[in-house]
Amino acid sequence: MATNVFKKYLSLLAFTAPAFIIYAIFLLYPTFSGLFYSLTDWNGLNRDYSFIGLGNFVELFKEDPDFLNSLWFTLKYVVFMLILQNGIALLLAVFIETRTRSKGLFRTLFFMPNMISTIISAFMWTFIFSQVLPQLAEKLAVSFLDQQWLGDPKFSFYSILIVSLWNGVGYMMIIYLAALQGVPKSLKEAAVIDGANAFQVLRNVVLPMITHAVTICFFLTLNGAFKVFEVVYGLTGGGPGRATQVITMNIYEEAFSNNFRYGYASAKSVVLFVIVLIFTLIQITVMKKKEVEA
């Protein structure tokens, strides 16, 4: 009996070993090596480096206002994305689900932007903001469209949001659609018979039934928003100045662009990892309680 159990676990280990080895080489090892290098002054080029303990972390919080500014800008972006991306995606999913015809057409239309690379989307919208909208403003006499969408800090943030939402809403919409299809029609019909209007049905019947999908979408949005890079890089490059620099771009600049301070950039990456971990744990804990209550 013991021999059979040993053979069973040995066979399971043999099947999972290749995947685990790849996971360890490309994820675990870089993670722990980054944690180690965050305690050094390594420049990423030379073999020699010195162990400086928590010096990098002290510096980034006390002597690096650019990092703190990029952190606050990223947090602002995360809040807007959590609210807008999930709100718009849910509304689109409800709109499509309530239609009797053309569901497939609308699903395809709204999901198509997600199939385009984020950096390609950023380049496309750069052309729209810089060339198309000013022409439309002139032809249609709508002065609001003629703005410095990428050159004015007041509008560049909203430009980044527009492109991010255009590119990402469709994916969340599909998740919400799958959840909505699992809500029994009998419950919604019973609520209508009892006198509930469309908003009350959505709030009191549908939303409690799809809380698990809300948890997933919030998790994906939260992680994606904290790690945003391509859309900002393609649209504004972090400018004008550093007005739209996100934390990932600040880390990239520190490690590869200007300073080649790989150890210092690793310390910033560790801080980002801790922040994302804390926010994710809070989000999952709160949402799981909502699922239980529902």
Side-chain angles (χ1 to χ4, degrees):
M1 183 68 177
T3 304
N4 293 334
V5 173
F6 175 77
K7 289 182 177 179
K8 177 182 177 182
Y9 283 105
L10 187 63
S11 62
L12 290 175
L13 180 63
F15 279 111
T16 57
F20 178 77
I21 291 172
I22 295 174
Y23 177 80
I25 292 174
F26 292 102
L27 187 64
L28 292 182
Y29 175 73
T31 299
F32 286 104
S33 63
L35 180 61
F36 171 77
Y37 286 125
S38 70
L39 306 175
T40 70
D41 62 354
W42 187 41
N43 63 5
L45 300 174
N46 299 330
R47 292 185 177 182
D48 299 330
Y49 55 83
S50 300
F51 186 80
I52 60 174
L54 299 177
N56 287 328
F57 296 95
V58 174
E59 180 182 348
L60 69 88
F61 282 112
K62 287 189 175 182
E63 305 174 17
D64 194 344
D66 290 334
F67 173 77
L68 296 179
N69 290 336
S70 66
L71 176 59
W72 289 120
F73 181 84
T74 304
L75 290 174
K76 177 183 174 183
Y77 174 82
V78 168
V79 171
F80 273 83
M81 285 297 292
L82 275 175
I83 297 172
L84 294 178
Q85 181 160 277
N86 286 279
I88 295 172
L90 181 58
L91 289 176
L92 289 177
V94 172
F95 165 74
I96 295 174
E97 182 62 22
T98 54
R99 293 188 63 85
T100 56
R101 296 181 179 181
S102 305
K103 287 186 178 181
L105 174 62
F106 282 106
R107 278 198 302 263
T108 303
L109 288 176
F110 290 127
F111 185 74
M112 279 181 66
N114 187 259
M115 301 174 66
I116 303 174
S117 169
T118 307
I119 191 68
I120 299 300
S121 300
F123 291 146
M124 288 170 49
W125 278 90
T126 298
F127 175 77
I128 293 173
F129 286 129
S130 61
Q131 301 295 329
V132 177
L133 292 186
Q135 293 293 328
L136 285 177
E138 182 180 349
K139 298 293 184 183
L140 302 177
V142 182
S143 59
F144 173 75
L145 296 178
D146 189 11
Q147 305 289 344
Q148 293 293 325
W149 292 99
L150 303 179
D152 188 337
K154 185 170 59 176
F155 292 100
S156 54
F157 173 72
Y158 298 108
S159 302
I160 293 170
L161 274 180
I162 289 170
V163 179
S164 299
L165 292 170
W166 181 80
N167 194 257
V169 161
Y171 185 78
M172 302 301 165
M173 179 200 68
I174 294 297
I175 297 176
Y176 283 124
L177 267 174
L180 289 173
Q181 291 172 358
V183 178
K185 290 184 179 180
S186 58
L187 293 179
K188 293 185 284 187
E189 292 172 354
V192 172
I193 292 173
D194 289 337
N197 56 37
F199 176 76
Q200 291 172 329
V201 171
L202 176 63
R203 178 183 176 184
N204 299 314
V205 179
V206 176
L207 284 181
M209 297 289 292
I210 63 169
T211 312
H212 60 287
V214 177
T215 302
I216 295 171
C217 289
F218 266 63
F219 172 80
L220 294 174
T221 304
L222 186 68
N223 280 268
F226 267 113
K227 296 183 290 185
V228 63
F229 180 85
E230 297 98 325
V231 64
V232 181
Y233 184 81
L235 282 174
T236 66
R242 295 176 182 268
T244 60
Q245 188 180 71
V246 289
I247 189 170
T248 52
M249 186 169 291
N250 183 270
I251 294 170
Y252 172 83
E253 182 182 88
E254 199 71 55
F256 305 110
S257 183
N258 296 328
N259 301 324
F260 293 100
R261 299 182 64 189
Y262 193 88
Y264 189 48
S266 296
K268 293 183 176 182
S269 299
V270 171
V271 172
L272 175 60
F273 169 76
V274 172
I275 292 173
V276 174
L277 178 64
I278 292 172
F279 274 86
T280 301
L281 290 176
I282 294 173
Q283 179 258 323
I284 291 178
T285 302
V286 172
M287 297 302 295
K288 285 295 182 183
K289 288 182 180 179
K290 294 290 184 181
E291 289 184 31
V292 172
E293 293 173 2

